[in-house]
mmCIF file of all heavy atoms in Angstrom:
data_model
loop_
_atom_site.group_PDB
_atom_site.id
_atom_site.type_symbol
_atom_site.label_atom_id
_atom_site.label_comp_id
_atom_site.label_asym_id
_atom_site.label_seq_id
_atom_site.Cartn_x
_atom_site.Cartn_y
_atom_site.Cartn_z
ATOM 1 N N LEU G 18 -0.856 -7.239 -0.163
ATOM 2 C CA LEU G 18 -2.130 -6.383 -0.233
ATOM 3 C C LEU G 18 -1.764 -4.976 -0.547
ATOM 4 O O LEU G 18 -0.834 -4.450 0.042
ATOM 5 C CB LEU G 18 -2.768 -6.485 1.137
ATOM 6 C CG LEU G 18 -3.838 -5.453 1.382
ATOM 7 C CD1 LEU G 18 -5.165 -5.803 0.638
ATOM 8 C CD2 LEU G 18 -4.221 -5.407 2.952
ATOM 9 N N THR G 19 -2.533 -4.366 -1.389
ATOM 10 C CA THR G 19 -2.312 -2.963 -1.719
ATOM 11 C C THR G 19 -3.693 -2.172 -1.258
ATOM 12 O O THR G 19 -4.620 -2.515 -1.804
ATOM 13 C CB THR G 19 -2.066 -2.500 -3.107
ATOM 14 O OG1 THR G 19 -0.732 -3.280 -3.459
ATOM 15 C CG2 THR G 19 -1.900 -1.127 -3.404
ATOM 16 N N LEU G 20 -3.503 -1.180 -0.445
ATOM 17 C CA LEU G 20 -4.676 -0.340 -0.046
ATOM 18 C C LEU G 20 -4.562 0.999 -0.807
ATOM 19 O O LEU G 20 -3.513 1.662 -0.718
ATOM 20 C CB LEU G 20 -4.622 -0.085 1.421
ATOM 21 C CG LEU G 20 -4.746 -1.290 2.337
ATOM 22 C CD1 LEU G 20 -4.491 -0.978 3.679
ATOM 23 C CD2 LEU G 20 -6.144 -1.880 2.130
ATOM 24 N N SER G 21 -5.483 1.209 -1.747
ATOM 25 C CA SER G 21 -5.480 2.406 -2.547
ATOM 26 C C SER G 21 -6.811 3.093 -2.363
ATOM 27 O O SER G 21 -7.521 2.892 -1.482
ATOM 28 C CB SER G 21 -5.244 1.928 -4.053
ATOM 29 O OG SER G 21 -4.957 3.079 -4.930
ATOM 30 N N GLY G 22 -7.176 3.898 -3.330
ATOM 31 C CA GLY G 22 -8.347 4.736 -3.106
ATOM 32 C C GLY G 22 -8.805 5.534 -4.304
ATOM 33 O O GLY G 22 -8.366 5.380 -5.436
ATOM 34 N N GLY G 23 -9.524 6.737 -3.802
ATOM 35 C CA GLY G 23 -9.786 7.066 -2.338
ATOM 36 C C GLY G 23 -8.441 7.113 -1.596
ATOM 37 O O GLY G 23 -7.293 7.192 -2.094
ATOM 38 N N ASP G 24 -8.666 7.309 -0.335
ATOM 39 C CA ASP G 24 -7.461 7.509 0.631
ATOM 40 C C ASP G 24 -7.786 6.491 1.847
ATOM 41 O O ASP G 24 -8.593 6.730 2.619
ATOM 42 C CB ASP G 24 -7.320 8.933 1.019
ATOM 43 C CG ASP G 24 -5.750 9.039 1.673
ATOM 44 O OD1 ASP G 24 -5.523 8.203 2.540
ATOM 45 O OD2 ASP G 24 -5.030 10.001 1.253
ATOM 46 N N PRO G 25 -6.974 5.393 1.896
ATOM 47 C CA PRO G 25 -7.111 4.557 2.970
ATOM 48 C C PRO G 25 -7.205 5.057 4.401
ATOM 49 O O PRO G 25 -7.702 4.563 5.395
ATOM 50 C CB PRO G 25 -6.029 3.557 2.780
ATOM 51 C CG PRO G 25 -5.740 3.559 1.342
ATOM 52 C CD PRO G 25 -5.876 5.067 1.036
ATOM 53 N N PHE G 26 -6.425 6.241 4.514
ATOM 54 C CA PHE G 26 -6.233 6.799 5.834
ATOM 55 C C PHE G 26 -7.543 7.536 6.420
ATOM 56 O O PHE G 26 -7.649 7.984 7.546
ATOM 57 C CB PHE G 26 -4.984 7.796 5.898
ATOM 58 C CG PHE G 26 -3.728 7.036 5.958
ATOM 59 C CD1 PHE G 26 -3.123 6.641 4.784
ATOM 60 C CD2 PHE G 26 -3.151 6.697 7.181
ATOM 61 C CE1 PHE G 26 -1.863 5.909 4.868
ATOM 62 C CE2 PHE G 26 -2.068 6.112 7.273
ATOM 63 C CZ PHE G 26 -1.422 5.620 6.062
ATOM 64 N N LEU G 27 -8.570 7.712 5.520
ATOM 65 C CA LEU G 27 -9.867 8.101 6.123
ATOM 66 C C LEU G 27 -10.564 7.118 6.732
ATOM 67 O O LEU G 27 -11.563 7.434 7.568
ATOM 68 C CB LEU G 27 -10.812 8.534 4.773
ATOM 69 C CG LEU G 27 -10.413 9.913 4.148
ATOM 70 C CD1 LEU G 27 -11.460 10.196 3.098
ATOM 71 C CD2 LEU G 27 -10.342 10.984 5.218
ATOM 72 N N GLN G 28 -10.195 5.860 6.576
ATOM 73 C CA GLN G 28 -10.749 4.656 7.275
ATOM 74 C C GLN G 28 -9.604 3.870 7.911
ATOM 75 O O GLN G 28 -9.492 2.647 7.631
ATOM 76 C CB GLN G 28 -11.589 3.819 6.368
ATOM 77 C CG GLN G 28 -12.768 4.598 5.604
ATOM 78 C CD GLN G 28 -13.443 3.688 4.740
ATOM 79 O OE1 GLN G 28 -14.279 2.965 5.009
ATOM 80 N NE2 GLN G 28 -13.095 3.813 3.363
ATOM 81 N N ALA G 29 -8.742 4.597 8.601
ATOM 82 C CA ALA G 29 -7.492 4.022 9.121
ATOM 83 C C ALA G 29 -7.602 2.802 10.031
ATOM 84 O O ALA G 29 -6.792 1.911 9.863
ATOM 85 C CB ALA G 29 -6.670 5.098 9.719
ATOM 86 N N ALA G 30 -8.589 2.814 10.856
ATOM 87 C CA ALA G 30 -8.736 1.762 11.949
ATOM 88 C C ALA G 30 -8.995 0.407 11.113
ATOM 89 O O ALA G 30 -8.421 -0.585 11.436
ATOM 90 C CB ALA G 30 -9.800 1.989 12.985
ATOM 91 N N GLU G 31 -10.116 0.448 10.206
ATOM 92 C CA GLU G 31 -10.428 -0.741 9.500
ATOM 93 C C GLU G 31 -9.368 -1.196 8.620
ATOM 94 O O GLU G 31 -8.998 -2.322 8.465
ATOM 95 C CB GLU G 31 -11.759 -0.449 8.691
ATOM 96 C CG GLU G 31 -12.872 -0.268 9.690
ATOM 97 C CD GLU G 31 -13.036 1.126 10.286
ATOM 98 O OE1 GLU G 31 -12.152 2.059 9.869
ATOM 99 O OE2 GLU G 31 -13.791 1.276 11.206
ATOM 100 N N CYS G 32 -8.688 -0.155 7.878
ATOM 101 C CA CYS G 32 -7.613 -0.542 7.029
ATOM 102 C C CYS G 32 -6.375 -1.187 7.682
ATOM 103 O O CYS G 32 -5.649 -2.065 7.196
ATOM 104 C CB CYS G 32 -7.229 0.571 6.098
ATOM 105 S SG CYS G 32 -8.343 1.073 4.873
ATOM 106 N N ALA G 33 -6.086 -0.628 8.923
ATOM 107 C CA ALA G 33 -5.108 -1.222 9.668
ATOM 108 C C ALA G 33 -5.344 -2.635 10.090
ATOM 109 O O ALA G 33 -4.469 -3.439 9.985
ATOM 110 C CB ALA G 33 -4.839 -0.363 11.022
ATOM 111 N N ALA G 34 -6.557 -2.871 10.480
ATOM 112 C CA ALA G 34 -6.891 -4.393 10.762
ATOM 113 C C ALA G 34 -6.734 -5.233 9.464
ATOM 114 O O ALA G 34 -6.240 -6.274 9.663
ATOM 115 C CB ALA G 34 -8.335 -4.310 11.279
ATOM 116 N N LEU G 35 -7.215 -4.624 8.411
ATOM 117 C CA LEU G 35 -6.959 -5.520 7.038
ATOM 118 C C LEU G 35 -5.558 -5.656 6.750
ATOM 119 O O LEU G 35 -5.195 -6.846 6.474
ATOM 120 C CB LEU G 35 -7.831 -4.884 6.024
ATOM 121 C CG LEU G 35 -7.646 -5.640 4.634
ATOM 122 C CD1 LEU G 35 -8.229 -6.996 4.674
ATOM 123 C CD2 LEU G 35 -8.398 -4.803 3.556
ATOM 124 N N ALA G 36 -4.787 -4.776 6.885
ATOM 125 C CA ALA G 36 -3.289 -4.742 6.683
ATOM 126 C C ALA G 36 -2.666 -5.733 7.652
ATOM 127 O O ALA G 36 -1.747 -6.587 7.234
ATOM 128 C CB ALA G 36 -2.776 -3.386 6.763
ATOM 129 N N GLN G 37 -3.023 -5.788 8.939
ATOM 130 C CA GLN G 37 -2.444 -6.640 9.867
ATOM 131 C C GLN G 37 -2.746 -8.068 9.578
ATOM 132 O O GLN G 37 -1.916 -8.985 9.706
ATOM 133 C CB GLN G 37 -2.838 -6.247 11.357
ATOM 134 C CG GLN G 37 -1.952 -7.045 12.276
ATOM 135 C CD GLN G 37 -0.562 -6.796 12.234
ATOM 136 O OE1 GLN G 37 -0.016 -5.679 12.110
ATOM 137 N NE2 GLN G 37 0.232 -7.871 12.242
ATOM 138 N N ALA G 38 -4.031 -8.277 9.119
ATOM 139 C CA ALA G 38 -4.462 -9.626 8.756
ATOM 140 C C ALA G 38 -3.575 -10.118 7.544
ATOM 141 O O ALA G 38 -3.294 -11.387 7.501
ATOM 142 C CB ALA G 38 -5.925 -9.623 8.317
ATOM 143 N N ALA G 39 -3.247 -9.191 6.631
ATOM 144 C CA ALA G 39 -2.444 -9.661 5.428
ATOM 145 C C ALA G 39 -0.980 -9.980 5.949
ATOM 146 O O ALA G 39 -0.397 -10.987 5.624
ATOM 147 C CB ALA G 39 -2.341 -8.465 4.461
ATOM 148 N N ARG G 40 -0.404 -9.188 6.810
ATOM 149 C CA ARG G 40 0.958 -9.412 7.316
ATOM 150 C C ARG G 40 0.906 -10.710 8.208
ATOM 151 O O ARG G 40 1.853 -11.453 8.066
ATOM 152 C CB ARG G 40 1.406 -8.228 8.222
ATOM 153 C CG ARG G 40 1.608 -7.010 7.301
ATOM 154 C CD ARG G 40 2.157 -5.848 8.157
ATOM 155 N NE ARG G 40 3.543 -6.158 8.161
ATOM 156 C CZ ARG G 40 4.353 -5.458 8.976
ATOM 157 N NH1 ARG G 40 3.899 -4.427 9.753
ATOM 158 N NH2 ARG G 40 5.590 -5.634 9.115
ATOM 159 N N ASP G 41 -0.079 -10.938 8.834
ATOM 160 C CA ASP G 41 -0.120 -12.213 9.648
ATOM 161 C C ASP G 41 -0.217 -13.469 8.823
ATOM 162 O O ASP G 41 0.172 -14.566 9.163
ATOM 163 C CB ASP G 41 -1.465 -12.222 10.452
ATOM 164 C CG ASP G 41 -1.555 -11.277 11.648
ATOM 165 O OD1 ASP G 41 -0.375 -10.723 12.028
ATOM 166 O OD2 ASP G 41 -2.600 -11.036 12.258
ATOM 167 N N ARG G 42 -0.525 -13.213 7.554
ATOM 168 C CA ARG G 42 -0.486 -14.284 6.506
ATOM 169 C C ARG G 42 0.687 -14.338 5.729
ATOM 170 O O ARG G 42 0.726 -15.052 4.608
ATOM 171 C CB ARG G 42 -1.720 -14.166 5.572
ATOM 172 C CG ARG G 42 -3.051 -14.539 6.313
ATOM 173 C CD ARG G 42 -4.251 -14.029 5.673
ATOM 174 N NE ARG G 42 -5.448 -14.573 6.286
ATOM 175 C CZ ARG G 42 -5.921 -14.083 7.382
ATOM 176 N NH1 ARG G 42 -5.403 -13.268 8.267
ATOM 177 N NH2 ARG G 42 -7.157 -14.776 7.923
ATOM 178 N N GLY G 43 1.732 -13.557 6.061
ATOM 179 C CA GLY G 43 2.974 -13.453 5.360
ATOM 180 C C GLY G 43 2.993 -12.575 4.123
ATOM 181 O O GLY G 43 3.978 -12.716 3.378
ATOM 182 N N LEU G 44 2.056 -11.809 3.965
ATOM 183 C CA LEU G 44 1.986 -10.861 2.755
ATOM 184 C C LEU G 44 2.487 -9.492 3.195
ATOM 185 O O LEU G 44 2.503 -9.141 4.288
ATOM 186 C CB LEU G 44 0.513 -10.810 2.346
ATOM 187 C CG LEU G 44 -0.137 -12.091 1.994
ATOM 188 C CD1 LEU G 44 -1.615 -11.860 1.594
ATOM 189 C CD2 LEU G 44 0.485 -12.764 0.855
ATOM 190 N N ASP G 45 3.024 -8.964 2.133
ATOM 191 C CA ASP G 45 3.476 -7.468 2.324
ATOM 192 C C ASP G 45 2.293 -6.559 2.087
ATOM 193 O O ASP G 45 1.325 -6.896 1.390
ATOM 194 C CB ASP G 45 4.653 -7.100 1.571
ATOM 195 C CG ASP G 45 4.513 -7.239 0.066
ATOM 196 O OD1 ASP G 45 3.710 -6.374 -0.356
ATOM 197 O OD2 ASP G 45 5.128 -7.993 -0.699
ATOM 198 N N VAL G 46 2.438 -5.338 2.649
ATOM 199 C CA VAL G 46 1.333 -4.360 2.445
ATOM 200 C C VAL G 46 1.933 -2.928 1.972
ATOM 201 O O VAL G 46 2.754 -2.398 2.448
ATOM 202 C CB VAL G 46 0.685 -4.133 3.952
ATOM 203 C CG1 VAL G 46 -0.401 -3.011 3.749
ATOM 204 C CG2 VAL G 46 0.032 -5.355 4.376
ATOM 205 N N TRP G 47 1.196 -2.556 0.805
ATOM 206 C CA TRP G 47 1.507 -1.226 0.343
ATOM 207 C C TRP G 47 0.347 -0.261 0.501
ATOM 208 O O TRP G 47 -0.902 -0.822 0.217
ATOM 209 C CB TRP G 47 1.869 -1.325 -1.148
ATOM 210 C CG TRP G 47 3.164 -1.761 -1.583
ATOM 211 C CD1 TRP G 47 3.873 -2.875 -0.988
ATOM 212 C CD2 TRP G 47 4.138 -1.288 -2.432
ATOM 213 N NE1 TRP G 47 5.060 -3.064 -1.465
ATOM 214 C CE2 TRP G 47 5.298 -2.093 -2.507
ATOM 215 C CE3 TRP G 47 4.014 -0.223 -3.394
ATOM 216 C CZ2 TRP G 47 6.356 -1.819 -3.204
ATOM 217 C CZ3 TRP G 47 5.103 0.029 -4.234
ATOM 218 C CH2 TRP G 47 6.263 -0.737 -4.111
ATOM 219 N N THR G 48 0.456 0.873 1.026
ATOM 220 C CA THR G 48 -0.680 1.758 1.110
ATOM 221 C C THR G 48 -0.437 3.055 0.433
ATOM 222 O O THR G 48 0.671 3.663 0.572
ATOM 223 C CB THR G 48 -0.844 2.098 2.613
ATOM 224 O OG1 THR G 48 -1.055 0.809 3.386
ATOM 225 C CG2 THR G 48 -2.159 2.884 2.878
ATOM 226 N N TYR G 49 -1.410 3.510 -0.336
ATOM 227 C CA TYR G 49 -1.295 4.707 -1.085
ATOM 228 C C TYR G 49 -2.107 5.829 -0.273
ATOM 229 O O TYR G 49 -3.088 5.646 0.411
ATOM 230 C CB TYR G 49 -1.941 4.622 -2.366
ATOM 231 C CG TYR G 49 -1.085 3.994 -3.432
ATOM 232 C CD1 TYR G 49 -1.016 2.572 -3.460
ATOM 233 C CD2 TYR G 49 -0.502 4.618 -4.415
ATOM 234 C CE1 TYR G 49 -0.253 1.865 -4.385
ATOM 235 C CE2 TYR G 49 0.294 3.867 -5.427
ATOM 236 C CZ TYR G 49 0.362 2.482 -5.277
ATOM 237 O OH TYR G 49 1.080 1.798 -6.313
ATOM 238 N N THR G 50 -1.542 7.089 -0.250
ATOM 239 C CA THR G 50 -2.186 8.158 0.353
ATOM 240 C C THR G 50 -1.809 9.497 -0.345
ATOM 241 O O THR G 50 -0.692 9.700 -0.879
ATOM 242 C CB THR G 50 -1.868 8.231 1.890
ATOM 243 O OG1 THR G 50 -2.461 9.367 2.504
ATOM 244 C CG2 THR G 50 -0.347 8.539 2.110
ATOM 245 N N GLY G 51 -2.785 10.553 -0.281
ATOM 246 C CA GLY G 51 -2.477 11.784 -0.822
ATOM 247 C C GLY G 51 -1.792 12.665 0.186
ATOM 248 O O GLY G 51 -1.315 13.788 -0.054
ATOM 249 N N TRP G 52 -1.797 12.356 1.498
ATOM 250 C CA TRP G 52 -1.065 12.965 2.612
ATOM 251 C C TRP G 52 0.548 12.536 2.417
ATOM 252 O O TRP G 52 0.848 11.471 1.860
ATOM 253 C CB TRP G 52 -1.499 12.571 3.970
ATOM 254 C CG TRP G 52 -2.750 13.361 4.234
ATOM 255 C CD1 TRP G 52 -3.030 14.774 4.501
ATOM 256 C CD2 TRP G 52 -4.068 12.775 4.480
ATOM 257 N NE1 TRP G 52 -4.203 15.047 4.811
ATOM 258 C CE2 TRP G 52 -4.894 13.815 4.822
ATOM 259 C CE3 TRP G 52 -4.532 11.480 4.300
ATOM 260 C CZ2 TRP G 52 -6.265 13.533 5.024
ATOM 261 C CZ3 TRP G 52 -5.901 11.284 4.538
ATOM 262 C CH2 TRP G 52 -6.771 12.286 4.842
ATOM 263 N N THR G 53 1.328 13.377 2.929
ATOM 264 C CA THR G 53 2.767 12.979 3.023
ATOM 265 C C THR G 53 3.039 12.222 4.270
ATOM 266 O O THR G 53 2.262 12.375 5.276
ATOM 267 C CB THR G 53 3.738 14.198 2.979
ATOM 268 O OG1 THR G 53 3.485 15.085 4.153
ATOM 269 C CG2 THR G 53 3.429 15.077 1.613
ATOM 270 N N TYR G 54 4.099 11.453 4.219
ATOM 271 C CA TYR G 54 4.425 10.660 5.434
ATOM 272 C C TYR G 54 4.620 11.749 6.727
ATOM 273 O O TYR G 54 4.155 11.352 7.816
ATOM 274 C CB TYR G 54 5.675 10.021 5.197
ATOM 275 C CG TYR G 54 6.407 9.240 6.315
ATOM 276 C CD1 TYR G 54 5.505 8.256 6.967
ATOM 277 C CD2 TYR G 54 7.666 9.409 6.653
ATOM 278 C CE1 TYR G 54 6.198 7.513 8.072
ATOM 279 C CE2 TYR G 54 8.296 8.642 7.690
ATOM 280 C CZ TYR G 54 7.531 7.800 8.315
ATOM 281 O OH TYR G 54 8.131 7.061 9.430
ATOM 282 N N GLU G 55 5.222 12.798 6.421
ATOM 283 C CA GLU G 55 5.576 13.777 7.542
ATOM 284 C C GLU G 55 4.205 14.151 8.105
ATOM 285 O O GLU G 55 4.125 14.426 9.289
ATOM 286 C CB GLU G 55 6.433 14.826 7.020
ATOM 287 C CG GLU G 55 7.786 14.433 6.771
ATOM 288 C CD GLU G 55 8.055 13.866 5.370
ATOM 289 O OE1 GLU G 55 6.997 13.662 4.609
ATOM 290 O OE2 GLU G 55 9.105 13.357 4.973
ATOM 291 N N GLN G 56 3.247 14.580 7.210
ATOM 292 C CA GLN G 56 1.930 15.059 7.747
ATOM 293 C C GLN G 56 1.233 14.012 8.589
ATOM 294 O O GLN G 56 0.765 14.355 9.660
ATOM 295 C CB GLN G 56 1.038 15.412 6.551
ATOM 296 C CG GLN G 56 1.458 16.633 5.886
ATOM 297 C CD GLN G 56 0.642 16.771 4.573
ATOM 298 O OE1 GLN G 56 0.210 15.969 3.822
ATOM 299 N NE2 GLN G 56 0.362 18.030 4.099
ATOM 300 N N LEU G 57 1.324 12.793 8.189
ATOM 301 C CA LEU G 57 0.627 11.679 9.038
ATOM 302 C C LEU G 57 1.362 11.558 10.403
ATOM 303 O O LEU G 57 0.606 11.350 11.351
ATOM 304 C CB LEU G 57 0.646 10.430 8.279
ATOM 305 C CG LEU G 57 -0.186 10.371 7.052
ATOM 306 C CD1 LEU G 57 0.074 9.120 6.171
ATOM 307 C CD2 LEU G 57 -1.659 10.369 7.299
ATOM 308 N N LEU G 58 2.654 11.588 10.467
ATOM 309 C CA LEU G 58 3.307 11.489 11.540
ATOM 310 C C LEU G 58 3.057 12.747 12.499
ATOM 311 O O LEU G 58 2.742 12.525 13.709
ATOM 312 C CB LEU G 58 4.847 11.468 11.411
ATOM 313 C CG LEU G 58 5.439 10.080 10.755
ATOM 314 C CD1 LEU G 58 6.988 10.281 10.774
ATOM 315 C CD2 LEU G 58 5.023 8.930 11.693
#
């Protein structure tokens, strides 16, 4: 599953639930964002 946009982190709770559903099915998850990793942390 790839979450792109837009920016998925604007709807983080819902996107996290979708991402976890993908991982529960054995799929990997890629997420695109305009923020840096350090900013999100």
Side-chain angles (χ1 to χ4, degrees):
L18 166 72
T19 295
L20 297 170
S21 188
D24 198 307
F26 283 89
L27 284 185
Q28 303 177 79
E31 291 76 15
C32 287
L35 179 59
Q37 189 57 48
R40 296 187 75 193
D41 289 345
R42 287 158 172 76
L44 304 175
D45 62 66
V46 177
W47 283 45
T48 303
Y49 285 73
T50 181
W52 283 290
T53 66
Y54 176 54
E55 291 81 4
Q56 287 173 326
L57 292 169
L58 286 183

